[in-house]
Amino acid sequence: MRQRKYNLFSGGALVRIVIEGVKLYFYYERGQEVYEAVAESKAENAVESYYEDEIEYDIFGNVKESSVLRMFGLPGYSENVYLTYGDADSDGMVHILTRHHPEYWAGETKHRNSFFNPDTTFSDIEDIIESVIDYSRNAEWMYDNLDSWGTKAYDGYHDGEIYRVIMSGENVVSVFPISYNQAE
């Protein structure tokens, strides 16, 4: 029986190796320069400071994760969806910042994270959410899913870029860009 020899440089193997190496180099460099992990408390403190008039506290002086920071009306309906304070692990503004904003990134990723531009403000994030709600039939679909327990994703454009808003019932779980600035 004749034994087959494999050549490292045949069949595009070299090209794949070079591409993967460039991707790793890019990720490592960007990760060290832009995506340096910080403590979750940086995001929590920033959200508490920016939304100080909307924050509610429990009897021990701790921020209530359910504090509604911003209410968004669903166009054509009398219903609203809510952006809450949340927490780093599950939902709300703290989650959005610690997972998708370079300045507040807490170092955790799922399969693939995408990041806002570093100069994205709290107000910008609110505007993005509003744009996605207003995009196409998203408001109608959100209205239809207000009573659902599962999470639903809605895509839409803001200033020419595509974003995804994740909702669970009437609450914003997360928002992030899906067309650029991704890291694994």
Side-chain angles (χ1 to χ4, degrees):
M1 182 164 169
R2 188 172 168 201
Q3 194 170 21
R4 190 177 273 193
K5 291 184 180 180
Y6 290 96
N7 185 345
L8 177 64
F9 302 105
S10 68
L14 180 61
V15 172
R16 285 193 299 272
I17 290 169
V18 170
I19 289 171
E20 289 302 313
V22 168
K23 284 171 41 180
L24 284 172
Y25 174 78
F26 177 80
Y27 173 70
Y28 176 76
E29 287 299 310
R30 295 287 289 179
Q32 294 301 313
E33 293 175 7
V34 178
Y35 305 116
E36 186 174 326
V38 299
E40 291 175 4
S41 60
K42 181 175 181 182
E44 294 167 345
N45 293 337
V47 172
E48 190 174 357
S49 175
Y50 185 82
Y51 293 100
E52 64 184 339
D53 293 336
E54 287 82 17
I55 298 290
E56 296 177 25
Y57 298 91
D58 64 19
I59 59 171
F60 303 106
N62 300 314
V63 173
K64 288 185 177 180
E65 294 174 1
S66 61
S67 296
V68 174
L69 307 179
R70 175 85 193 274
M71 180 174 60
F72 303 93
L74 293 177
Y77 301 94
S78 60
E79 303 293 331
N80 300 302
V81 296
Y82 304 95
L83 175 62
T84 62
Y85 177 86
D87 67 41
D89 294 326
S90 62
D91 64 1
M93 185 59 97
V94 172
H95 173 80
I96 294 165
L97 295 177
T98 59
R99 292 289 173 97
H100 302 288
H101 198 292
E103 185 177 343
Y104 302 102
W105 182 57
E108 290 191 35
T109 60
K110 294 237 175 174
H111 172 64
R112 176 176 289 215
N113 264 32
S114 61
F115 294 89
F116 293 107
N117 289 325
D119 59 349
T120 302
T121 66
F122 291 95
S123 180
D124 293 335
I125 293 170
E126 292 176 5
D127 291 345
I128 291 165
I129 293 168
E130 195 155 38
S131 292
V132 172
I133 290 170
D134 292 342
Y135 183 75
S136 188
R137 296 177 56 197
N138 282 347
E140 177 184 343
W141 295 327
M142 286 178 182
Y143 176 78
D144 290 343
N145 291 308
L146 285 178
D147 294 329
S148 74
W149 285 93
T151 58
K152 306 279 187 215
Y154 304 93
D155 296 344
Y157 287 88
H158 178 77
D159 288 342
E161 300 290 343
I162 190 166
Y163 292 88
R164 177 165 290 156
V165 171
I166 308 292
M167 301 284 301
S168 178
E170 61 187 16
N171 293 315
V172 174
V173 172
S174 192
V175 58
F176 49 88
I178 60 172
S179 59
Y180 62 93
N181 215 12
Q182 295 186 345
E184 291 183 4

